Amino acid sequence: MKLSSWGQLSHAEHRVMLLDGLAPGQDFLASAKPGIAYGMGRSYGDVCLNPGGTVWQTGRMDRFMHFDPASGRVRCQAGVLLREIQQTMLPHGWMLAVSPGTQIVTVGGAIANDVHGKNHHRYGSFGHHVREFTLLRSSGEQLACQPGDPLFAATIGGLGLTGLILDATLQLKPVYGPWLETETLAYDSLDAFFQLSADSETDWEHTVSWIDCLAGEGRGIFMRGNPAPAGVVGTMPARRSRRMPLTPPVSLVNGLSLRPFNWLYYHLKRARAGHQVEHYLPFNYPLDNLLEWNRMYGPRGFYQYQSVVPPQHGLAATRAMLEAIAASGQGSFLAVLKTFGGMQSVGMLSFARPGVTLALDFPAGGERLQKLFARLDAIVREAGGAIYCGKDARMPQDLFVSGYPRLAEFLKFRDPGISSALSRRLMGS
Amino acid sequence: MYPAKHVVIIGATSAIAEHCARLWAAGQPVSMTLVGRNASRLQAIAADLKVRTPTSQIDILTVDFASPAAIHDLAENLFAQTAVDLVLIAHGTLPIQQQCQDDLQEAENALYINGISPALFAEAFAGRMQAQGFGQIGLIGSVAGDRGRKSNYTYGAAKGLVTRFAQGLQHRLAGSGVQVSLIKPGPTDTPMTSEFKAKGTKMASVEEVAAGIVNGMRAGRDVIYVPGKWKIIMMVIRHLPAFIFNRMDI
Ligand SMILES: Cc1cc2nc3c(=O)[nH]c(=O)nc-3n(C[C@H](O)[C@H](O)[C@H](O)COP(=O)(O)OP(=O)(O)OC[C@H]3O[C@@H](n4cnc5c(N)ncnc54)[C@H](O)[C@@H]3O)c2cc1C
Ligand SMILES: NC(=O)c1ccc[n+]([C@@H]2O[C@H](COP(=O)([O-])OP(=O)(O)OC[C@H]3O[C@@H](n4cnc5c(N)ncnc54)[C@H](OP(=O)(O)O)[C@@H]3O)[C@@H](O)[C@H]2O)c1
């Protein structure tokens, strides 16, 4: 069947195999290879795709296996959604320590991209909270991997290329409830953003910001939050979700709509700046209620460009990238700017690392867009940064190699039965 | 009758049944007995339900679905221990029609597991529920049981048997305190229909179908089409004259 990922950039035929969660792995071993695991396809590019070949869909590997409410350790199959963990464990006073900006992703996907959240400076990335997982290699070998094992470090952030993750044991984080005390602030320059980030690191668990990349000088909104103490309660968010009703013939995100949208968003948020008690759902997952919002970019799909650059180049590189974007006039609905903390990631190919990360969406376009990407790549390359594989569909191979210095070490742990469009594009096989 | 205190699920490894179980266990603690043919598959589901609802009691039992004596003993033992408030009979398999035509053993297996076996389970529970004076039986049939079609009439005939059996039980148990729901799902995204899914066919989600079943049974409805639109579609299909129907490629 035709299969795509979140960016909707390709719709190639795949042989889709829905893995059985009640006899885990047997069908994987018996199936045609090479293939690649596919969780919810919330990656933007080709990390979960294998055009013309097999994908192993893990959605039916969705059972919890064990939970200890005293220690907050949960063991579950790799197809369990983060949303399911949040919902099920919250009443017991536990939540995921790290969650990306959508909870509609699988545990396997969160491990394979070693995803990060708004609290990186406090909790690191997803892999820091994995205590063990079961890895099934296409040879039939089944291994229990723990922190310290080389195969553990290869598989965390390993892009699905080291074997099929059958299940994982996660350490959750204790919470009083679903509420966060948040603060929203407007800033009007990049310097101000870096100042706010630095000031917030010690006292705030979550920090993230939205930046208007068309305004040039670095105008944006800074959001920070802390889990609310016991007894602090806000108003429940509406539970209604909406679905993007159709794919418009052209992208709704274009030069005409962007400027007014960004202006409006900035001024709306600025008007509501200040302190709030917010539920974790709208704070952490602002887009999850608008199902299939990716369709608004039209049938050609869209790219997300997410980079990270080391702290010492953070300001200069970010400024240069924003200027390049403003000059090109091609912008982004969601330009997210955030600093990562100092924690070393667990995985050999983990993306999160100390520095500054910028994420931008671009409707798929022609030569002008490729030129802009080349310009942005040059800035990232020069700063010694990297591009996030979980979002990528196009980075040049040399930038991959320079951005992931442990690549050679990683390659030794690849499973020969596994290959993706991304692995062929960037690793040659 | 609600919340159901002791729920028994026959064919508990069915995706539809499992999602019903999650809904029955959500919120209030229940006691649930999961019945199937394979202990390790049942165990995985029991462990999952246990995490979702730690205060519930989840037991598993295996039984030979092909043995009337085993079905009898299962019911006998269950009721000897405690009352059963609700039983969902969910097992089934979608055979390849051509194979049923070519190989009578295939045809017999399909007719047995989709038709006779569920009827025997229903019979075994009906009498004992009647004796205890209360209870609810959910029997999963199918829209395929509403009219025979060339693409799946062996399966459809077995499901038609379930339909008539449920009707007869409803007639017999009227006023007894025992309620029988005949459940007719339309195409649903479960392992049974993986072949269709892999070809890209759009189907109802198993969550939606399970919610329809649980709500329909809670309301005590005799016939539950899920999703609801199938009630109208099947009414049309049932009433199409043969000279039109027989020319349709469905
Ligand atoms: C709205 C939105 C917001 C996002 N925000 C963030 C964010 O804040 N931070 C962040 O880090 N990411 C973010 N992402 C990206 C997303 O979290 C990751 O791409 C995630 O990995 C997707 O998980 P998935 O289950 O959809 O996996 P897929 O996208 O289907 O697959 C991702 C990778 O996991 C592998 N994989 C999946 N299951 C297994 C398994 N069982 N065994 C082995 N390998 C497996 C696949 O092969 C593939 O390499 C966001 C995405 C969206 C759409
Ligand atoms: N999915 C649909 O589109 C659809 C539509 C209409 C009606 N239905 C009906 O809904 C019910 C549930 O189906 P589902 O979609 O949830 O399918 P499923 O997930 O594939 O479950 C099938 C169930 O039947 C059991 N089973 C199959 N053959 C058996 C045998 N010979 N002996 C004992 N148990 C057997 C399986 O047990 P194991 O796990 O041990 O294999 C499993 O519990 C079935 O009655 C089906 O006919 C389904």
Side-chain angles (χ1 to χ4, degrees):
Chain A
M1 73 185 268
K2 294 211 188 325
L3 198 65
S4 190
S5 65
W6 192 247
Q8 307 267 307
L9 287 161
S10 65
H11 301 268
E13 263 317 308
H14 286 77
R15 229 179 2 260
V16 176
M17 182 156 201
L18 299 144
L19 298 182
D20 179 2
L22 296 180
Q26 288 172 19
D27 38 13
F28 160 77
L29 291 177
S31 82
K33 306 217 173 42
I36 187 75
Y38 187 102
M40 287 300 285
R42 252 40 179 198
S43 298
Y44 284 64
D46 54 2
V47 70
C48 54
L49 297 176
N50 183 26
T54 306
V55 301
W56 299 295
Q57 244 177 33
T58 61
R60 290 193 177 138
M61 296 166 57
D62 69 343
R63 275 70 175 203
F64 288 110
M65 299 165 76
H66 185 73
F67 174 57
D68 174 13
S71 67
R73 285 211 181 173
V74 63
R75 182 172 183 205
C76 64
Q77 293 182 334
V80 167
L81 296 187
L82 301 192
R83 180 177 60 197
E84 209 63 21
I85 298 179
Q86 302 286 53
Q87 272 173 11
T88 311
M89 303 311 165
L90 182 58
H92 300 287
W94 297 96
M95 286 182 87
L96 288 164
V98 169
S99 170
T102 171
Q103 54 173 352
I104 312 176
V105 301
T106 63
V107 167
I111 292 175
N113 275 326
D114 192 11
V115 298
H116 55 269
K118 300 184 194 0
N119 60 0
H120 183 269
H121 56 280
R122 190 76 56 89
Y123 283 92
S125 52
F126 199 84
H128 285 113
H129 309 280
V130 179
R131 290 291 167 267
E132 183 174 307
F133 55 77
T134 311
L135 189 71
L136 181 59
R137 308 267 291 180
S138 60
S139 62
E141 202 181 352
Q142 187 168 314
L143 302 129
C145 303
Q146 290 163 343
D149 302 344
L151 201 47
F152 185 90
T155 302
I156 302 280
L159 312 174
L161 299 172
T162 61
L164 179 72
I165 303 165
L166 295 181
D167 60 70
T169 304
L170 309 175
Q171 176 63 56
L172 305 177
K173 160 184 99 114
V175 293
Y176 285 113
W179 303 105
L180 294 139
E181 290 181 327
T182 67
E183 188 178 9
T184 303
L185 305 134
Y187 62 87
D188 51 18
S189 73
L190 273 185
D191 291 305
F193 162 79
F194 281 100
Q195 193 58 52
L196 271 172
S197 293
D199 292 349
S200 306
E201 284 211 355
T202 40
D203 293 337
W204 296 84
E205 175 176 329
H206 300 276
T207 64
V208 70
S209 98
W210 173 87
I211 182 157
D212 181 351
C213 43
L214 298 183
E217 72 277 18
R219 179 174 73 181
I221 302 288
F222 192 91
M223 288 155 276
R224 52 192 186 185
N226 273 325
V232 174
V233 173
T235 34
M236 278 307 274
R239 291 194 67 179
R240 193 171 43 159
S241 59
R242 292 165 209 253
R243 187 176 294 273
M244 185 75 186
L246 48 88
T247 305
V250 296
S251 171
L252 298 181
V253 184
N254 53 45
L256 286 179
S257 67
L258 260 177
R259 263 171 220 283
F261 175 84
N262 283 2
W263 186 89
L264 192 69
Y265 185 91
Y266 175 80
H267 285 94
L268 273 180
K269 276 277 183 190
R270 198 177 66 166
R272 290 182 46 197
H275 291 271
Q276 254 183 293
V277 177
E278 267 186 275
H279 194 268
Y280 77 96
L281 288 177
F283 183 76
N284 274 341
Y285 315 114
L287 289 173
D288 276 1
N289 262 350
L290 181 57
L291 304 173
E292 299 180 41
W293 60 259
N294 51 343
R295 292 169 70 181
M296 81 188 164
Y297 285 94
R300 297 173 68 189
F302 68 111
Y303 291 92
Q304 180 163 104
Y305 191 97
Q306 181 167 2
S307 58
V308 60
V309 293
Q312 65 273 24
H313 300 302
L315 179 60
T318 307
R319 176 164 291 145
M321 291 170 83
L322 291 176
E323 279 168 6
I325 292 159
S328 83
Q330 306 171 74
S332 176
F333 239 163
L334 296 165
V336 176
L337 182 62
K338 165 168 178 59
T339 50
F340 284 142
M343 261 164 106
Q344 255 341 300
S345 286
V346 178
M348 296 176 187
L349 296 189
S350 289
F351 167 73
R353 61 196 75 183
V356 185
T357 182
L358 177 67
L360 308 127
D361 292 352
F362 297 94
E367 213 178 309
R368 249 181 50 182
L369 183 61
Q370 297 312 319
K371 274 207 181 121
L372 175 59
F373 283 154
R375 176 78 196 105
L376 298 177
D377 289 344
I379 298 166
V380 174
R381 193 180 285 120
E382 198 173 326
I387 307 277
Y388 189 2
C389 293
K391 308 278 179 82
D392 182 63
R394 45 117 345 244
M395 80 168 103
Q397 195 184 13
D398 76 287
L399 188 51
F400 174 63
V401 172
S402 65
Y404 293 89
R406 292 178 74 185
L407 177 61
E409 188 186 355
F410 168 81
L411 291 175
K412 289 187 263 179
F413 297 97
R414 273 195 64 177
D415 184 323
I418 299 183
S419 168
S420 66
L422 179 137
S423 76
R424 291 191 288 278
R425 182 164 63 80
L426 296 175
M427 303 177 197
S429 69
Chain B
M1 200 183 312
Y2 279 89
K5 290 184 285 285
H6 182 201
V7 174
V8 176
I9 302 182
I10 312 293
T13 54
S14 123
I16 293 178
E18 183 182 5
H19 281 86
C20 290
R22 288 187 189 177
L23 294 173
W24 279 318
Q28 78 284 349
V30 289
S31 155
M32 216 179 276
T33 307
L34 308 179
V35 182
R37 58 174 166 173
N38 180 315
S40 81
R41 294 172 75 81
L42 289 167
Q43 199 54 62
I45 290 173
D48 174 77
L49 289 170
K50 204 69 200 139
V51 170
R52 290 172 193 273
T53 164
T55 47
S56 287
Q57 171 73 30
I58 316 280
D59 296 310
I60 65 169
L61 280 178
T62 53
V63 66
D64 179 1
F65 283 65
S67 159
I71 294 171
H72 170 274
D73 291 350
L74 174 96
E76 187 86 350
N77 292 337
L78 277 172
F79 281 82
Q81 288 163 23
T82 150
V84 176
D85 298 86
L86 186 155
V87 61
L88 177 71
I89 301 167
H91 58 290
T93 176
L94 187 61
I96 297 168
Q97 176 59 28
Q98 188 63 49
Q99 281 178 12
C100 292
Q101 290 162 218
D102 296 343
D103 178 354
L104 293 185
Q105 189 58 57
E106 266 310 302
E108 187 194 345
N109 293 347
L111 288 168
Y112 180 86
I113 200 68
N114 290 303
I116 296 173
S117 169
L120 297 182
F121 276 104
E123 191 66 70
F125 279 78
R128 291 174 176 84
M129 282 187 172
Q130 192 174 19
Q132 75 185 8
F134 61 89
Q136 202 174 11
I137 302 173
L139 254 172
I140 304 192
S142 170
V143 293
D146 277 12
R147 186 163 189 174
R149 286 187 293 135
K150 63 182 173 188
S151 56
N152 68 359
Y153 62 82
T154 310
Y155 173 77
K159 290 297 189 181
L161 184 157
V162 172
T163 300
R164 286 293 169 273
F165 209 88
Q167 280 177 350
L169 284 177
Q170 285 166 350
H171 193 200
R172 165 184 155 199
L173 296 171
S176 72
V178 181
Q179 194 263 326
V180 179
S181 292
L182 172 62
I183 298 151
K184 299 187 190 182
T188 309
D189 180 3
T190 73
M192 178 177 280
T193 53
S194 284
E195 301 277 322
F196 303 107
K197 164 96 170 195
K199 289 186 200 129
T201 310
K202 283 258 181 276
M203 289 178 280
S205 76
V206 66
E207 288 85 1
E208 178 189 358
V209 167
I213 293 171
V214 168
N215 291 334
M217 287 190 74
R218 185 165 294 158
R221 300 224 313 270
D222 288 344
V223 181
I224 303 169
Y225 280 95
V226 270
K229 67 175 182 194
W230 286 98
K231 182 173 180 179
I232 296 149
I233 297 172
M234 293 320 294
M235 189 156 76
V236 173
I237 300 245
R238 273 198 319 273
H239 289 96
L240 278 178
F243 74 90
I244 297 177
F245 183 77
N246 288 348
R247 275 184 291 170
M248 291 169 67
D249 198 17
I250 54 172

